[in-house]
Amino acid sequence: MPPPSPTPAPARFPPLSSFDPSASERRTAASDLDGTLLASSSAFPYYFLVALEAGSYLRALALLLLAPLILLLYTAVSEPAAIALLVFATFAGLRVDDVEAVARGVLPRHYAAGVRADSWEVFRGCGAGRRVVVTASPAVMVGPFVREFLGAEVAGTELRTFAGGRRFTGVIESVLVGERKREVVERMFAGGDLPDVGLGDRESDHDFMAICKEAYMVPTNKRAPRATPDALLSRVIFHDGRLVRRPDPKHALFALAYLPVGFALALLRVLISHHVPRSLVRHAYRLTGIRLTVRGTPPPPPSRGTPGSLLVCNHRTAVDPIFVSIALGRQVTCVTYSVSRLSMATSPVPMVALMGDRKVDKARITALLESGRDVVVCPEGTTCREPCLLRFSALFAELTDRVVPVAVEAVQSTYYGSTARGWRSMDPCFFYMNPRPGYRVTFLPALRAEETCGGGARSVVEVASHVQAVIAKELGYKCTGFTMKDKYMKLAGSVADECDPNGKKLA
């Protein structure tokens, strides 16, 4: 007879599902990050984003080619060896300021989208006194997300620097796994009780979990329900980076391999914008994969001797005015505060740069309208990627009573056509590089006389707020009081917090 099968050894720690929140009060908690608070156990996408956004496409490609070797090291040699190679390939030579900007402006959106609902509920509920995230990922990479969105202290792998602390060497003293995690937790809780609850998902977490009063294993489940944006301590409003999707290896490979094809396609689409008759552009776009949906009733063209309409729209990408013009079926003029010379030279829509002087800008726009031109203005002043509208500048309300609100939505699947710190002159190109980009343009009813400053004696702020609310309602977006200044201060690391009516902090 064959020998009896060995009885499986009991798990060292109970599963998370056995946690009883009513059993006792727990004031402190310590948790791993990847695979525990985050549904995915792989940190590779976040390293890839750092390599791409703080480094270059070549560095990101090199990291992607190294991925099989890193995986082999992880499974066949050791976790620390794999992480050490991953860190070196990602960080060696990068500027500290660039990495911090990526950690602040790019990574939080991707981290927040991957938070597990079950483990976050336990971690947040147990950590009313103190929460600590202990992770093998570099602290510089995960710190902004952990502190702002999870309300926790972070203990992560520390990286060495050179050149007076301005660049990373890519070398680390020791990776924060196994006993090193336990030592860090003991040090952080020195002089007090050790954590009431510990959460982990793999064997290298057992050491720190063993010193917690209670500890639970989070089962591997990449499809585990995610925490809703409202469940986290902050909501993402501003973020940067070119990639729309979280760059798992297959998405990362596509984003890099598709670049030459996308660039050629973008050039074709730009040529169509310039050289195809305006009445046919929409149909030519469709042949190249661009989808344009037009809703509402466009305002009629101004008759001879009458002023043009002021088309007031929200701002999603640098090509908003181009698609408004195509949807309208006639030429418009765009006024903008911030645009590169390259964009002005290559735009099929006439662009007029404003000076930032209210009196001068008002006179310039008024002259355009009185000349019989339809003028497009984006009073948000900068793009916003999330379903939110920034505060509308009230300047447009002083110019004319012929105001037409226009709601625009951009469809981007691979690359964002806007950036705060990259090559902004390439923003239109990146939008056109998407395999199947799209726009939805909705022309809303023109303001009635009683809704304007002239006919209704409304204040400019009232008119601006009304137009913002009308567009937000059409799109299903949230109105905020943030401005362009707030966006760039946030992505630079300094902005006052704003809360929604329910007390949710917006970031």
Side-chain angles (χ1 to χ4, degrees):
M1 290 180 60
S5 301
T7 303
R12 184 173 179 182
F13 299 103
L16 184 67
S17 57
S18 64
F19 175 78
D20 182 2
S22 62
S24 61
E25 183 183 20
R26 292 91 157 182
R27 298 286 299 170
T28 57
S31 175
D32 178 44
L33 184 63
D34 297 297
T36 303
L37 292 176
L38 301 180
S40 174
S41 60
S42 173
F44 176 83
Y46 312 113
Y47 284 93
F48 181 87
L49 286 168
V50 171
L52 178 68
E53 301 291 348
S56 65
Y57 284 87
L58 289 178
R59 182 186 288 265
L61 177 60
L63 183 64
L64 189 60
L65 294 176
L66 275 174
L69 175 59
I70 294 171
L71 180 60
L72 179 64
L73 281 175
Y74 187 91
T75 55
V77 181
S78 72
E79 183 179 351
I83 294 174
L85 177 59
L86 184 57
V87 167
F88 182 81
T90 302
F91 289 91
L94 292 184
R95 290 172 53 87
V96 173
D97 288 346
D98 289 339
V99 173
E100 290 176 345
V102 171
R104 192 169 51 242
V106 179
L107 299 183
R109 177 179 72 93
H110 297 280
Y111 278 128
V115 175
R116 285 185 60 145
D118 53 357
S119 54
W120 165 239
E121 183 179 1
V122 171
F123 185 63
R124 183 179 185 179
C126 293
R130 188 181 185 190
R131 290 190 287 269
V132 172
V133 169
V134 53
T135 174
S137 294
V140 68
M141 192 166 83
V142 303
F145 165 72
V146 168
R147 286 188 288 268
E148 184 173 351
F149 289 80
L150 305 183
E153 302 168 54
V154 61
T157 297
E158 298 295 338
L159 309 183
R160 294 181 182 178
T161 60
F162 71 102
R166 294 191 299 272
R167 292 185 180 271
F168 289 110
T169 64
V171 177
I172 51 182
E173 293 184 1
S174 61
V175 179
L176 210 60
V177 297
E179 292 184 1
R180 289 281 293 126
K181 282 190 175 182
R182 175 180 57 78
E183 293 169 2
V184 166
V185 172
E186 288 177 333
R187 193 160 57 244
M188 294 183 75
F189 285 85
D193 288 340
L194 290 170
D196 293 326
V197 173
L199 303 177
D201 70 297
R202 66 196 78 185
E203 187 175 349
S204 58
D205 296 329
H206 287 183
D207 290 87
F208 91 85
M209 293 170 66
I211 63 174
C212 298
K213 297 174 183 177
E214 300 176 49
Y216 300 89
M217 291 295 291
V218 179
T220 300
N221 183 4
K222 292 183 179 180
R223 297 184 178 181
R226 305 301 201 265
T228 63
D230 287 329
L232 303 180
L233 302 186
S234 291
R235 291 198 63 170
V236 176
I237 300 296
F238 301 125
H239 56 85
D240 204 10
R242 284 294 186 193
L243 298 187
V244 175
R245 296 184 180 183
R246 178 180 183 269
D248 296 311
K250 64 178 182 179
H251 292 141
L253 178 61
F254 176 80
L256 295 182
Y258 175 73
L259 271 174
V261 178
F263 186 73
L265 189 56
L267 288 180
L268 173 62
R269 289 164 171 169
V270 170
L271 289 174
I272 289 173
S273 301
H274 279 274
H275 300 293
V276 172
R278 190 160 303 277
S279 60
L280 300 177
V281 169
R282 185 174 175 182
H283 305 291
Y285 269 177
R286 189 182 300 117
L287 294 176
T288 67
I290 297 179
R291 295 159 293 168
L292 172 59
T293 302
V294 182
R295 298 171 180 165
T297 304
S303 57
R304 189 176 184 84
T306 60
S309 296
L310 186 63
L311 304 168
V312 180
C313 66
N314 58 304
H315 201 4
R316 305 307 282 180
T317 79
V319 297
D320 289 340
I322 298 174
F323 280 87
V324 170
S325 177
I326 296 170
L328 194 60
R330 60 181 184 267
Q331 187 66 281
V332 299
T333 299
C334 172
V335 293
T336 178
Y337 283 105
S338 177
V339 65
S340 69
R341 292 182 180 179
L342 178 61
S343 296
M344 291 189 70
T346 58
S347 174
V349 172
M351 304 187 78
V352 175
L354 300 180
M355 308 302 295
D357 183 306
R358 193 177 189 88
K359 185 179 295 185
V360 173
D361 293 339
K362 180 179 178 180
R364 184 168 294 185
I365 301 173
T366 300
L368 291 171
L369 291 169
E370 290 179 350
S371 69
R373 303 189 198 183
D374 290 324
V375 176
V376 173
V377 61
C378 301
E380 287 180 286
T382 187
T383 56
C384 183
R385 297 172 174 179
E386 293 300 304
C388 297
L389 296 187
L390 309 186
R391 190 175 72 201
F392 277 25
S393 168
L395 174 62
F396 75 87
E398 302 178 22
L399 306 175
T400 179
D401 287 349
R402 296 168 64 94
V403 176
V404 179
V406 183
V408 299
E409 293 179 274
V411 179
Q412 303 162 95
S413 60
T414 303
Y415 309 110
Y416 278 117
S418 61
T419 185
R421 55 181 299 274
W423 294 345
R424 298 178 66 182
S425 60
M426 293 294 291
D427 284 355
C429 184
F430 271 98
F431 173 81
Y432 283 122
M433 285 170 59
N434 282 287
R436 289 184 58 82
Y439 253 86
R440 288 187 287 270
V441 179
T442 304
F443 293 99
L444 300 169
L447 296 191
R448 300 189 302 273
E450 61 269 22
E451 296 173 331
T452 65
C453 296
R458 300 287 186 93
S459 72
V460 292
V461 173
E462 286 180 313
V463 174
S465 299
H466 172 69
V467 174
Q468 181 196 34
V470 166
I471 294 176
K473 182 179 180 180
E474 173 64 30
L475 296 172
Y477 288 3
K478 174 183 176 57
C479 290
T480 76
F482 285 125
T483 65
M484 176 174 63
K485 181 180 178 181
D486 292 326
K487 171 183 172 178
Y488 286 98
M489 288 183 66
K490 170 62 182 178
L491 297 180
S494 175
V495 64
D497 295 331
E498 176 174 314
C499 295
D500 66 14
N502 298 318
K504 173 63 60 179
K505 189 165 69 175
L506 306 177

